[in-house]
Amino acid sequence: MKFSDYITYFEMAAINHKVIAHDPNNDHYSFYKLEDILNGMSLKNKHLCMLVESTETKTDDEKSDNLRKMKTGSIAILKPVKPDDVADLMTVLDLTEEVAEDIASKILNDTRKSKSTTKPTIPIIVEPSSIRITPLGPMLDNHYGWKVAFTINSRFSNGLQLDENKWNNETKF
């Protein structure tokens, strides 16, 4: 899985989900990459949004020669809450939890569809038991919501084998 495929997958989910309703050609932003926030963008919008966090990668070989590329990723569904308004907080948490579960169900459904064919149709195959949904907030201008974290099971493009053509003075084991 390429990082650009991961971002595109969730951007398309944000476009197609009726509540998020992201429009990349409109100033009504509802989809952000973590890098946007780290580079100083704040979430001053007054609507629900999806924030996609970058992935981390680790190897998993289960004592075999079939190294797997295990990527942990996550998305956050956030909405601003009026300061000191408990009723608004409860409404926001209910709404964002429902949307977070919608995203989790899409990930699982796409994984199942992809596993049922000989060629995967999506860039991410998620380990179903790895999905965790946890509360967030307050963060970024009093936003609250839910984080959906998951583990993507994929392959390294080269099986994590040394390519001697890319090195000086290196040989393959």
Side-chain angles (χ1 to χ4, degrees):
M1 175 197 77
K2 292 181 181 177
F3 184 72
S4 59
D5 294 334
Y6 170 79
I7 294 297
T8 300
Y9 175 81
F10 285 108
E11 184 171 20
M12 291 307 298
I15 289 168
N16 291 321
H17 192 276
K18 292 179 180 181
V19 174
I20 301 171
H22 173 57
D23 179 355
N25 300 315
N26 192 328
D27 284 341
H28 175 153
Y29 292 107
S30 54
F31 174 80
Y32 301 90
K33 296 178 289 303
L34 180 61
E35 290 76 18
D36 297 334
I37 305 304
L38 294 175
N39 288 328
M41 175 188 275
S42 65
L43 295 179
K44 300 256 184 224
N45 62 328
K46 300 299 178 210
H47 53 86
L48 184 136
C49 63
M50 177 191 286
L51 172 66
V52 178
E53 296 184 27
S54 301
T55 59
E56 289 184 21
T57 302
K58 72 172 195 149
T59 59
D60 185 12
D61 74 350
E62 297 182 8
K63 308 291 187 240
S64 71
D65 290 333
N66 185 21
L67 280 176
R68 301 297 297 170
K69 183 180 193 178
M70 306 301 283
K71 296 179 93 53
T72 55
S74 64
I75 60 100
I77 303 299
L78 300 168
K79 191 170 190 315
V81 172
K82 296 173 192 153
D84 303 317
D85 189 333
V86 175
D88 189 39
L89 174 61
M90 293 301 112
T91 300
V92 165
L93 287 174
D94 286 346
L95 172 64
T96 55
E97 183 178 29
E98 182 178 340
V99 174
E101 288 178 3
D102 291 343
I103 298 299
S105 69
K106 175 182 176 32
I107 292 168
L108 280 176
N109 188 63
D110 287 346
T111 293
R112 289 180 185 124
K113 284 192 306 190
S114 193
K115 283 183 172 181
S116 71
T117 64
T118 56
K119 182 172 173 28
T121 55
I122 61 168
I124 48 181
I125 304 296
V126 170
E127 294 293 317
S129 63
S130 73
I131 294 176
R132 295 174 315 283
I133 301 173
T134 56
L136 293 172
M139 60 187 290
L140 304 168
D141 305 321
N142 212 42
H143 281 65
Y144 285 80
W146 296 86
K147 177 179 182 175
V148 180
F150 45 84
T151 301
I152 302 164
N153 187 340
S154 62
R155 294 186 172 135
F156 289 96
S157 59
N158 65 356
L160 214 53
Q161 299 294 315
L162 181 75
D163 182 348
E164 293 171 338
N165 295 320
K166 294 182 178 181
W167 293 91
N168 293 320
N169 304 317
E170 289 291 334
T171 57
K172 197 180 225 181
F173 176 76

